Amino acid sequence: MELRAIVMGLAFAMMWSSAFASARIIVSAAPPLGSLALRFLVSGLLAVALARLMGQSWRLSRAQWRATIVFGLCQNALYLGLNFVAMQWVEASLASIIASVMPLLVALASWLLFKERLRPLGYAGLLAGIVGVTLIMGARLQGGADPLGVGLCVLGVISLAVATMSVRGAITGGNVMMIVGLQMLVGSALLWPVAIAFETPQVDWSWRLVAAFSYTVLVPGVAATFLWVVLVERIGAIRAATFHFLNPFFGVAVAAVLLGEPMGVYDVIGVAIITAGILAVQLSRLSSRK
């Protein structure tokens, strides 16, 4: 893999992982679902405008519209919606760790539902992921982590895995950035009624909130997505997915630096095990495609 692709992959992993820390800042000062709906509205409009500048069309195929709607529901409204609500009670580091096991869930579902065979290294990676998550979750729950918040994060990552499995191959045929923008707008449209019905529009304004929201819109929302698309086009989806093994480490590290969240010994051990598990699964799938 060329050096430029490695740098792009590292930048994407850092951007993606940092979103949990900025989200934690946002939900501490503003309603979570309303904030997320506004973020998707702004990010979606920016992505659609960027797609138009790239010459992409919003005339999508039936499969692409299905991908847009499914991702808008499962990835944005459910996965991120549940995580934003959960981070009122759980730390950003824990939320990022739970979310980072998505590649393991997809690999497990591919094996169980689609009979996609893995090499022995892949099965070892799945087992390592389960061990790492169990270790961290057990330590965090004993340390007082909110069970409801943890449960919402778990439901969220399952929703993300379902979305990933449901639209396999559906975004082929171009217009990827347009699909990204439209699925954000779908998520925004789904979240606004819930936010209006159940949340009080009370915001504790500060420069920290404005900075966190702006960062979330521009960096994880638009820049990371664009970088991911370019990376996939450059080296392929399977190779690009190997960079997800960095997400547990980056997520915990960013939360510790920006938010001062504690990092226990079980967190370090568990993150190392999960990271190794994700890497093993991705490398196994990569070698099986050669």
Side-chain angles (χ1 to χ4, degrees):
M1 191 180 299
E2 59 180 336
L3 178 60
R4 185 174 181 180
I6 293 175
V7 173
M8 291 169 60
L10 292 173
F12 163 77
M14 176 60 77
M15 291 178 183
W16 189 93
S17 301
S18 66
F20 292 91
S22 60
R24 176 74 167 168
I25 295 173
I26 293 171
V27 301
S28 67
L33 296 182
S35 301
L36 189 59
L38 181 60
R39 170 205 159 173
F40 284 142
L41 178 60
V42 178
S43 296
L45 292 175
L46 287 174
V48 168
L50 180 60
R52 293 298 294 165
L53 290 174
M54 296 168 64
Q56 297 184 12
S57 171
W58 41 53
R59 294 181 180 178
L60 308 179
S61 66
R62 181 175 298 180
Q64 288 177 324
W65 274 116
R66 185 189 69 177
T68 299
I69 295 172
V70 170
F71 260 86
L73 171 63
C74 293
Q75 176 174 288
N76 295 336
L78 291 178
Y79 162 63
L80 286 173
L82 290 168
N83 270 274
F84 262 59
V85 173
M87 277 190 284
Q88 296 176 106
W89 310 298
V90 301
E91 295 177 329
S93 57
L94 180 56
S96 68
I97 291 169
I98 296 174
S100 69
V101 303
M102 186 275 290
L104 297 177
L105 292 181
V106 171
L108 180 61
S110 298
W111 173 43
L112 295 176
L113 300 178
F114 299 102
K115 309 302 179 183
E116 180 180 313
R117 293 186 177 182
L118 296 174
R119 293 177 179 270
L121 179 63
Y123 294 116
L126 289 176
L127 179 60
I130 294 172
V131 171
V133 170
T134 302
L135 183 66
I136 293 173
M137 297 284 281
R140 289 295 187 104
L141 289 174
Q142 288 183 359
D146 186 87
L148 175 60
V150 171
L152 291 177
C153 289
V154 172
L155 290 176
V157 73
I158 292 174
S159 298
L160 181 58
V162 169
T164 303
M165 299 298 297
S166 299
V167 296
R168 295 172 66 177
I171 61 173
T172 57
N175 295 320
V176 177
M177 183 55 70
M178 180 63 72
I179 293 173
V180 168
L182 292 176
Q183 55 96 3
M184 289 180 183
L185 295 180
V186 169
S188 178
L190 292 171
L191 286 170
W192 275 121
V194 182
I196 293 172
F198 295 102
E199 292 184 339
T200 302
Q202 184 175 354
V203 180
D204 183 12
W205 290 101
S206 67
W207 70 266
R208 198 164 179 254
L209 172 62
V210 174
F213 183 83
S214 301
Y215 176 86
T216 302
V217 168
L218 296 175
V219 179
V222 177
T225 303
F226 179 76
L227 189 60
W228 174 252
V229 172
V230 174
L231 185 64
V232 169
E233 289 180 349
R234 192 177 189 89
I235 64 175
I238 301 299
R239 286 184 172 86
T242 59
F243 287 100
H244 276 286
F245 82 90
L246 294 170
N247 291 330
F249 168 76
F250 281 154
V252 172
V254 171
V257 173
L258 293 184
L259 304 178
E261 293 185 1
M263 187 186 310
V265 62
Y266 289 109
D267 291 332
V268 176
I269 297 174
V271 164
I273 295 174
I274 294 172
T275 298
I278 295 174
L279 179 60
V281 168
Q282 297 296 346
L283 291 178
S284 172
R285 300 177 82 185
L286 176 61
S287 61
S288 66
R289 298 293 178 91
K290 290 182 178 180

